[in-house]
Amino acid sequence: MAKPAILTVDDDPDVLRAIERDLRQRYSEKYRVLRADSGVAALDLLRRLQQRNDAVALLLVDHRMPEMNGVETLVEAIKLYPDTKRVLLTAYADTEAAIKAINEVQLHHYLLKPWDPPEQHLYPVLDDLLDDWAANFPPPFEGVRVLGTRWSAKSYDVRNFLARNQVPYQWLDADASERDPEVKRLMESLKREEMKLPLALFPDGTCLPEPSSQQIAEKLGLRTRAGLEFYDLAILGGGPAGLAAAVYGASEGLKTVMVEREAPGGQAGLSSRIENYLGFPSGLSGADLARRAVAQAKRFGVEIVSPQEATAVRVDGPYRYVRLSDGNEFSCHALLLAMGVQWRKLDIPGIDRLQGAGVYYGGGTTEAISCRDEDVYIIGGANSAGQAAMYFSRYAKGVVMLVRGDTLASSMSQYLIEQIQGTSNISVEYRSQVTEVHGYDHLEEISIKCDRTGDVTRVPAAALFIFIGAEPRTSWLGDTVETDARGFVLTGTDLMRDGKRPKGWALERDPGLLETNIPGIFAVGDVRHGSIKRVASGVGEGSIAIQFVHQYLAKVS
């Protein structure tokens, strides 16, 4: 397969030669550097590349060009290569146009002329963009393949696990064997005992019928057990709060382990787009955020154990012991609870039977392409539901949001509301709720009740995505760590009753801001009572918690 291309466009021959020279010097080993002297020539070249099914990783386009300027060129280019990274090269006087282009053409970055020295002003930006592109671009396939059926909940679980752990995989639909020669040949080559679907096939020739997440993780070499018996800091939960704490803790010298039940990134990792996170004007996906954070944590030596779940915690003097679902136990001086929350279940007829077979909690981004040209429904009116609606609108024929309230304004950010209002294939039905789901082996229809009239309408539906709030998974803490009536962990002043410290508190100070009723056990992020349910807030809490951990450890004997 040919190398992915980087295309630079400029009508000034001297500038074009200079930028081509700098690009070749840095990227020629992994990319083909191509050039065009006008927007028209660039689009012609892109069409030829598309006909050959060649990949284009980056477009670096000058703004001031005759006939077709840079923004106009990118408007047309995005139709040919929507996933290619887009950078506008501008003069200082054109910065306003560049900023406007962030929304018009989903511009990823703009650079000012001159860019010398490229080591400071060019390469750092392009390196980051190309890394992002490469992380999402499927290379010539040599990885895990999954053979299953679209409406199998177990097949969905396998695909979701691989996607959330950012493991490239190829999906092979067994129901398409008659029209897909590759699938047919594969199925004919399998032994009878191997035909238990879903089937995970690995590059070394081995396969796992109906595999669990644990089996896949072990086969891929993911760490599923703690490597040590003792750590300075143990973090339970790998969402933004847990990852931030891991990065700061390990970077400051603490021997740190992070245990995650499903995949690093937590619920935020399922978000199709986070557009209000500081420093990313074009937004980023939850998977991108998780990938960056995991790489950063590993760089500082954080031991990430996943998929694995804590089942019990106990205290013995200065040690806090954590028992995992596999029966193993390790100890630590400081324990950070960052388990986040899980989606609240919808209690209506048929819902449990069809979960994973047309009914999904959360983003379900692995299902987006399968929903092409179909009608999908989303329950919920907060940011997560809005982000999912925007993502699915790229694939589905129609996206219908079902909202129990009278408006989105009370629960959704304004930028998302504006995007939804400007997307022609998204509609919002207010004061509506799903009362039943229908289908034999997969979702076929849903019943929608209009609260204004009381009427119930039964409509066809290819998929239903549910975002109706979340609740903590903290029952395993037992009586050791205090929680509120809903299961959120109490910290700091919320533990004080009538000015009195919590029962059993032996220290000569009040519990710290993020500290639980057990000294040395802290809670951050969505699992904490009173926390702000936002990605940036979780990152902030995870970061500052390390200061309190250090203060605690300084007095641990």
Side-chain angles (χ1 to χ4, degrees):
M1 180 178 176
K3 296 178 183 178
I6 295 174
L7 175 59
T8 181
V9 187
D10 200 303
D11 66 310
D12 186 324
D14 293 333
V15 175
L16 189 59
R17 281 193 295 268
I19 190 68
E20 181 186 28
R21 176 200 65 216
D22 289 342
L23 291 174
R24 289 186 183 280
Q25 181 177 337
R26 180 77 164 192
Y27 303 112
S28 61
E29 185 177 338
K30 293 183 178 180
Y31 298 91
R32 288 182 295 158
V33 178
L34 306 176
R35 68 178 187 176
D37 58 8
S38 70
V40 173
L43 293 173
D44 185 58
L45 177 55
L46 288 174
R47 292 187 186 96
R48 295 200 303 271
L49 291 171
Q50 188 186 60
Q51 290 170 3
R52 298 202 299 263
N53 201 31
D54 287 347
V56 179
L58 176 72
L59 294 172
L60 181 59
V61 182
D62 180 55
H63 180 59
R64 287 196 177 185
M65 295 188 295
E67 296 184 49
M68 180 180 286
N69 66 31
V71 173
E72 292 168 342
T73 301
L74 290 173
V75 166
E76 296 303 315
I78 199 173
K79 298 175 183 177
L80 299 170
Y81 283 94
D83 297 322
T84 294
K85 296 298 180 181
R86 297 173 288 279
V87 178
L88 199 65
L89 196 60
T90 70
Y92 181 78
D94 296 324
T95 54
E96 192 65 32
I99 293 172
K100 187 178 179 182
I102 290 176
N103 292 324
E104 288 186 0
V105 296
Q106 298 176 346
L107 191 69
H108 295 104
H109 214 285
Y110 67 89
L111 294 170
L112 296 178
K113 298 178 184 179
W115 59 87
D116 290 329
E119 290 78 8
Q120 293 182 21
H121 302 304
L122 180 67
Y123 298 150
V125 171
L126 300 190
D127 285 352
D128 197 31
L129 291 174
L130 289 170
D131 284 346
D132 274 356
W133 179 85
N136 294 286
F137 175 72
F141 199 77
E142 298 177 352
V144 182
R145 293 178 293 165
V146 179
L147 177 66
T149 57
R150 176 185 176 185
W151 303 121
S152 161
K154 290 182 178 179
S155 294
Y156 171 75
D157 289 341
V158 171
R159 287 183 287 141
N160 193 47
F161 174 79
L162 292 171
R164 293 192 62 187
N165 281 277
Q166 304 193 27
V167 177
Y169 72 95
Q170 183 182 31
W171 167 245
L172 303 169
D173 189 350
D175 291 336
S177 60
E178 293 305 315
R179 59 182 184 274
D180 189 328
E182 180 182 1
V183 176
K184 184 176 182 179
R185 287 193 298 267
L186 173 61
M187 295 181 69
E188 289 175 345
S189 69
L190 295 173
K191 300 176 182 177
R192 181 182 296 272
E193 59 270 20
E194 294 172 335
M195 281 299 295
K196 295 179 180 178
L197 304 182
L199 180 70
L201 301 103
F202 298 89
D204 63 2
T206 60
C207 58
L208 291 175
E210 298 182 319
S212 66
S213 297
Q214 191 83 9
Q215 289 175 314
I216 296 174
E218 291 175 355
K219 180 64 181 177
L220 294 173
L222 302 180
R223 182 182 288 275
T224 60
R225 295 187 178 186
L228 302 176
E229 295 182 354
F230 171 79
Y231 298 88
D232 299 317
L233 171 64
I235 301 168
L236 304 183
L243 284 165
V247 168
Y248 277 85
S251 68
E252 295 176 13
L254 299 179
K255 186 62 182 176
T256 303
V257 63
M258 187 183 77
V259 180
E260 166 54 38
R261 184 169 63 92
E262 294 177 341
Q267 266 199 14
L270 294 170
S271 177
S272 55
R273 203 73 186 164
I274 303 170
E275 297 202 46
N276 56 357
Y277 194 74
L278 185 65
F280 293 87
S282 303
L284 78 167
S285 70
D288 287 338
L289 180 62
R291 175 179 56 81
R292 293 166 184 262
V294 167
Q296 201 170 14
K298 288 182 176 179
R299 174 190 166 202
F300 290 119
V302 176
E303 185 179 312
I304 299 177
V305 179
S306 176
Q308 191 58 265
E309 186 172 10
T311 57
V313 61
R314 63 184 177 90
V315 178
D316 186 358
Y319 301 101
R320 284 83 185 97
Y321 287 86
V322 176
R323 180 169 294 276
L324 302 178
S325 54
D326 63 2
N328 290 314
E329 190 177 63
F330 64 81
S331 64
C332 58
H333 274 327
L335 177 64
L336 191 69
L337 306 178
M339 295 90 67
V341 291
Q342 61 182 354
W343 291 111
R344 188 176 296 123
K345 299 290 184 176
L346 184 63
D347 186 16
I348 59 174
I351 199 78
D352 292 336
R353 180 170 52 84
L354 296 179
Q355 184 174 339
V359 173
Y360 309 97
Y361 289 92
T365 53
T366 55
E367 296 302 300
I369 296 178
S370 298
C371 295
R372 190 180 297 277
D373 300 326
E374 296 177 336
D375 290 320
V376 303
Y377 287 78
I378 292 175
I379 301 178
N383 277 6
S384 296
Q387 290 162 354
M390 290 301 302
Y391 182 74
F392 283 106
S393 70
R394 296 161 52 185
Y395 302 93
K397 179 175 67 175
V399 178
V400 181
M401 298 185 67
L402 302 173
V403 181
R404 297 199 65 171
D406 295 311
T407 178
L408 293 174
S410 61
S411 56
M412 186 180 294
S413 297
Q414 185 61 32
Y415 79 89
L416 264 178
I417 295 175
E418 293 173 356
Q419 288 181 1
I420 289 169
Q421 292 173 341
T423 305
S424 61
N425 63 337
I426 298 179
S427 61
V428 183
E429 296 186 11
Y430 297 102
R431 298 192 65 183
S432 299
Q433 58 180 303
V434 176
T435 57
E436 189 174 357
V437 295
H438 312 275
Y440 175 65
D441 59 352
H442 68 277
L443 180 69
E444 297 176 7
E445 297 177 314
I446 61 175
S447 292
I448 304 173
K449 179 182 179 182
C450 175
D451 290 341
R452 289 191 182 92
T453 64
D455 295 338
V456 177
T457 306
R458 188 161 164 168
V459 298
L464 177 67
F465 300 93
I466 304 169
F467 302 83
I468 56 171
E471 54 193 11
R473 184 192 291 260
T474 55
S475 59
W476 62 273
L477 291 171
D479 297 328
T480 303
V481 177
E482 288 190 28
T483 62
D484 64 15
R486 298 172 59 197
F488 290 94
V489 177
L490 295 171
T491 59
T493 57
D494 291 324
L495 291 163
M496 306 292 288
R497 295 176 178 85
D498 299 324
K500 296 180 181 180
R501 295 165 182 162
K503 183 179 179 181
W505 185 267
L507 302 182
E508 294 300 319
R509 61 170 177 82
D510 295 342
L513 177 64
L514 301 174
E515 197 167 22
T516 70
N517 61 298
I518 303 296
I521 299 183
F522 304 84
V524 295
D526 289 358
V527 76
R528 189 179 69 82
H529 171 85
S531 65
I532 299 174
K533 307 302 189 278
R534 287 289 186 268
V535 173
S537 298
V539 170
E541 288 191 10
S543 303
I544 65 173
I546 300 305
Q547 175 186 352
F548 302 122
V549 168
H550 280 302
Q551 292 173 0
Y552 171 77
L553 292 177
K555 298 182 179 180
V556 173
S557 58

